Amino acid sequence: MVKLIYHGCINLSKLPNLCEAGTELIKFLEPEYQELEDPPCCGSLLFHTDEEGARKNCNEVYDWLKKNNVTELTTICAGCYNYFVTFYPQYIPEFDVKINHISQFLSKPEYMQMLDLKYPGEKKIKITYHDPCHMKNARIPIFEEPRVILSNIKNVDLMALEWERELSTCCGAGAGVYSSFKEVSNFTTADIFRQVKKSRAKILITPCSFCYVSFKRLESEKNPRFKILKLEEFINKLKKGEVIE
Amino acid sequence: MTSGKELYENNKEKLKKLLDETSEEYQFADFWGNLASVKKHREFDEDTKEYVDKYVDKLRPMREELVNNLEKYTEQAMKSIEKTGAKVYLAKTNEQAQKLFLQELGDERTLYKSKSADAKEMGILDACKKNGIEVIETDLGDVLVQMFEYELPSYQLAPGVHFHPSQIANKIKEKYNVDVEPNGPAIVSFFRKTHRPKILNANISLTSANAVAADDGSIVLVENEGNISLLTRLPPKHIVICGISKIVPTVYDALLQVNMQERWNTLIGSYISFIRGPSSTNDVYGQKVIGMYGAQEVAIILVDDWRTKAVKENSFLKEFLHCISCKACNYVCTASRAVGNIYASKMGLGACGIIKDYIHNGIESAVKNGLFLCTSCENCKNFCPVQVDLPKIMRELKKIAVSKNLAPPPLKSYLQNITTKKNPFK
Ligand code: SF4
Ligand code: SF4
């Protein structure tokens, strides 16, 4: 019976700091969680583009999980969460690995208590949260858990974005569009930044690595007056008592 | 066949136009990105919300009943329409629809038409052009598009909505040498004066239908401007052309469908017409005489083309038949908001435009018109009153495109990496 930390390819390849933050948090709360070597890609883009490829990959990943006795996994990637929860059962009806997004994992009351999160600055800080498509459209949608986590942090005010929950704006990076047409995310991310500015938040939190990459690219261009942090990155910084400038 | 690389470069070239503030593409995208939003169009006033909440759940089952029994309801609709005294045809293909239409038009060389996405999709406008028939648009949006000779796709419910009043006033000066103030009332008043008398003299009109009731043959049309009311009553002959997916089982379903088309878009039209055949009277000794004040002749061309085939083959396109053409998905589309009418075909903006393009022009054309700009955000499905699974249809189209080597090269290399290296980013 293995509980697996499944980072997802984008994090493993491009965002090692997020993998570290996720691992630190998960292992702190449940030390039996493990990382395995060379995890296969969940298939992501194949679900949009290649029926047979997606089916084959699903089966291979399922076999890999079974071979390694994985019964439960927690991922820091909203995309992996969506594909596992929504698409895998369509290809493998008997799919029985329990899938958690890190927000579901962290929001358990006992873990919130263990973490006892507090923003260390002198003044209260305003933060805001963006609902990604991968979480709002998943077969089991996630809206509440991240809000439970964030609104329970002491010294933090969670501000609502103008468009949130089911109405939230897509970052424009999904389905591989980011690889070919950044023009879409140029517009949508700018629109999300406008909403963040309106919310007066100093930090934008995202639970999705694709949104994160999309936001970060525009951050370097637009220099907004707020920080962009991934959920596990933010929580891990608070756990360590880091002040976020 | 063009390669994925060439199509990608073509897409990129078009997208470059968004950087040029004077380009038509920039102007449309700028307008659309601001006008269209999830929030703006999903915040119903109380009255609309009450209506929508009460009735929206009835739509999908009604549409499923129709789609699952499309042939049966088409047959029933044909019989019911015939009983109304209208002529009715079932065109198997768009080409046949064009022939039937030209046959009904006879020697008439001028056609007055209302807004009709179906007529465009079925190639009626091209057939008119080819046969030297002058088409006079009467919907103000189409009138503007015609005046500007605007060739790019635009929003089908209001095709000229992106033109600025000052642009319109300048164009009127250029075309008609008339000074019109650049504001809505002045512009409307100008076209009321120029276009209303034309409709009064029309011989043959063409409209589509918002719904066709199988049980009593009613052709149901919704409008704001009054042009449809005039076009369907004043000319001696009225031709209707629409796809068989506009059929609904009963006249009550027709009312549900047209009301939802309006309310879901927070629009309330001024007129709803239920047309059952030509005008008539029984006032002379109880004898029924056809052709009193309204149309003397009504001809209805129902078009099948791809529709029953999709049902019979249970193909992924069957899902598309549930669509009631409310166009709400246009407002909420991520790609459309970002790039405007670059993600569109002649048959409409967004996913609906791309899917229709695939149906009629094939996969290469769909890719050329921006298939791979769809982010799969699912807004279109989430905000569709019938929950039409457009994202799933788009995924199917992408699968076809990838199998034909038409994917953008960066995406293709990601896909190869997933298969060979088990990681798209390696
Ligand atoms: S897909 Fe849905 S939202 Fe779009 S036009 Fe059709 S019915 Fe309306
Ligand atoms: S899934 Fe594609 S077509 Fe639908 S709203 Fe999103 S970008 Fe537009």
Side-chain angles (χ1 to χ4, degrees), chain A residues 176-200:
Chain A
V177 171
Y178 193 77
S179 71
S180 312
F181 302 111
K182 295 196 174 46
E183 293 86 347
V184 179
S185 97
N186 283 346
F187 174 89
T188 51
T189 300
D191 193 42
I192 293 166
F193 281 13
R194 177 193 61 77
Q195 295 173 47
V196 177
K197 193 174 165 204
K198 199 170 163 194
S199 79
R200 292 181 295 131

Side-chain angles (χ1 to χ4, degrees), chain B residues 234-254:
Chain B
L234 291 173
K237 185 165 182 174
H238 170 205
I239 304 174
V240 180
I241 192 155
C242 68
I244 53 174
S245 43
K246 290 281 176 68
I247 296 171
V248 291
T250 71
V251 71
Y252 300 103
D253 295 328

Side-chain angles (χ1 to χ4, degrees), chain A residues 9-14 38-41 43-51 56-57 60 87 90-91 133 136-137 162-163 166-177 179-185 187-188 191 210, chain B residues 8 11-12 15-16 18 29 33-34 36-40 42-43 334-335 337-339 372-379 382-383 392 394-396 398-400 402-403 408-411 414-415 418-419 422-426:
Chain A
C9 305
I10 187 164
N11 298 310
L12 283 171
S13 311
K14 306 233 178 224
D38 280 337
C41 168
S44 60
L45 295 175
L46 291 175
F47 295 104
H48 301 266
T49 51
D50 180 355
E51 185 66 20
K56 189 165 168 270
N57 192 73
E60 283 172 9
F87 287 83
Q90 290 172 20
Y91 291 89
C133 300
K136 73 177 181 189
N137 293 327
E162 185 185 354
W163 299 5
E166 290 90 346
L167 299 182
S168 87
T169 321
C170 169
C171 73
V177 171
S179 71
S180 312
F181 302 111
K182 295 196 174 46
E183 293 86 347
V184 179
S185 97
F187 174 89
T188 51
D191 193 42
F210 300 101
Chain B
Y8 178 55
N11 282 170
K12 286 299 234 188
L15 287 165
K16 268 192 205 151
L18 293 178
N34 289 316
S37 79
V38 179
K39 194 157 161 114
K40 230 184 269 177
R42 293 283 77 85
E43 280 187 337
T334 297
R337 291 190 64 227
V339 305
F372 283 99
L373 285 161
C374 167
T375 67
S376 235
C377 70
E378 302 203 6
N379 276 357
N382 294 343
F383 296 102
K392 188 166 179 211
M394 295 299 274
R395 283 200 298 275
E396 294 306 321
K398 287 181 186 175
K399 287 173 191 170
I400 296 171
V402 168
S403 75
L411 181 66
Y414 274 31
L415 293 173
I418 297 180
T419 320
K422 299 282 166 222
N423 182 334
F425 304 102
K426 267 191 185 162

Side-chain angles (χ1 to χ4, degrees), chain B residues 81-343:
Chain B
I81 293 169
E82 220 171 332
K83 276 193 213 153
T84 67
K87 256 196 249 172
V88 57
Y89 302 98
L90 177 63
K92 290 271 170 235
T93 60
N94 283 352
E95 291 69 32
Q96 206 184 336
Q98 294 157 21
K99 271 194 201 137
L100 286 165
F101 168 75
L102 292 171
Q103 181 189 308
E104 280 300 319
L105 202 61
D107 294 331
E108 182 62 40
R109 295 291 90 183
T110 313
L111 177 72
Y112 291 76
K113 71 173 274 293
S114 70
K115 192 165 53 205
S116 167
D118 278 353
K120 204 178 231 179
E121 186 183 335
M122 286 150 194
I124 299 298
L125 299 187
D126 291 338
C128 285
K129 209 171 173 186
K130 227 160 117 192
N131 287 277
I133 293 151
E134 187 192 7
V135 175
I136 299 189
E137 298 289 356
T138 59
D139 175 274
L140 183 56
D142 280 332
V143 169
L144 295 175
V145 165
Q146 211 172 31
M147 179 174 79
F148 277 92
E149 294 171 38
Y150 193 77
E151 297 279 340
L152 297 176
S154 63
Y155 179 48
Q156 283 174 327
L157 286 190
V161 72
H162 54 284
F163 297 121
H164 192 273
S166 59
Q167 261 179 302
I168 300 173
N170 289 341
K171 201 70 180 177
I172 291 173
K173 177 78 185 160
E174 182 192 319
K175 286 242 165 181
Y176 301 94
N177 198 22
V178 175
D179 288 307
V180 172
E181 277 191 40
N183 61 55
I187 291 164
V188 167
S189 158
F190 171 79
F191 284 110
R192 185 180 162 93
K193 270 188 222 133
T194 55
H195 276 61
R196 203 167 184 273
K198 284 191 196 172
I199 302 178
L200 305 183
N201 290 323
N203 285 325
I204 299 188
S205 67
L206 172 72
T207 71
S208 179
N210 293 87
V212 177
D215 64 344
D216 77 348
S218 292
I219 303 297
V220 187
L221 287 151
V222 193
E223 55 163 334
N224 246 343
E225 295 181 3
N227 61 324
I228 290 180
S229 303
L230 297 180
L231 284 174
T232 55
R233 270 55 158 200
L234 291 173
K237 185 165 182 174
H238 170 205
I239 304 174
V240 180
I241 192 155
C242 68
I244 53 174
S245 43
K246 290 281 176 68
I247 296 171
V248 291
T250 71
V251 71
Y252 300 103
D253 295 328
L255 189 58
L256 168 70
Q257 178 157 308
V258 298
N259 266 335
M260 202 56 79
Q261 284 167 344
E262 298 181 299
R263 299 272 183 140
W264 198 254
N265 283 318
T266 56
L267 297 168
I268 307 286
S270 307
Y271 308 97
I272 299 181
S273 299
F274 285 75
I275 295 168
R276 270 191 296 234
S279 66
S280 66
T281 178
N282 294 329
D283 280 357
V284 183
Y285 215 57
Q287 189 191 356
K288 180 160 177 167
V289 180
I290 302 290
M292 191 54 225
Y293 297 117
Q296 291 163 308
E297 244 187 291
V298 177
I300 296 157
I301 305 168
L302 298 170
V303 187
D304 183 344
D305 205 53
W306 57 277
R307 295 169 181 84
T308 48
K309 185 168 178 265
V311 177
K312 276 188 195 148
E313 292 177 356
N314 200 19
S315 82
F316 65 89
L317 290 173
K318 182 181 170 191
E319 176 65 13
F320 196 41
L321 291 167
H322 297 90
C323 170
I324 62 166
S325 299
C326 71
K327 309 282 183 278
C329 47
N330 285 177
Y331 288 126
V332 297
C333 173
T334 297
S336 292
R337 291 190 64 227
V339 305
N341 58 10
I342 291 177
Y343 177 55

Side-chain angles (χ1 to χ4, degrees), chain B residues 63-70 311 318 322:
Chain B
R63 295 298 300 172
E64 277 177 3
E65 168 65 21
L66 168 83
V67 171
N68 291 333
N69 302 286
L70 190 58
V311 177
K318 182 181 170 191
H322 297 90

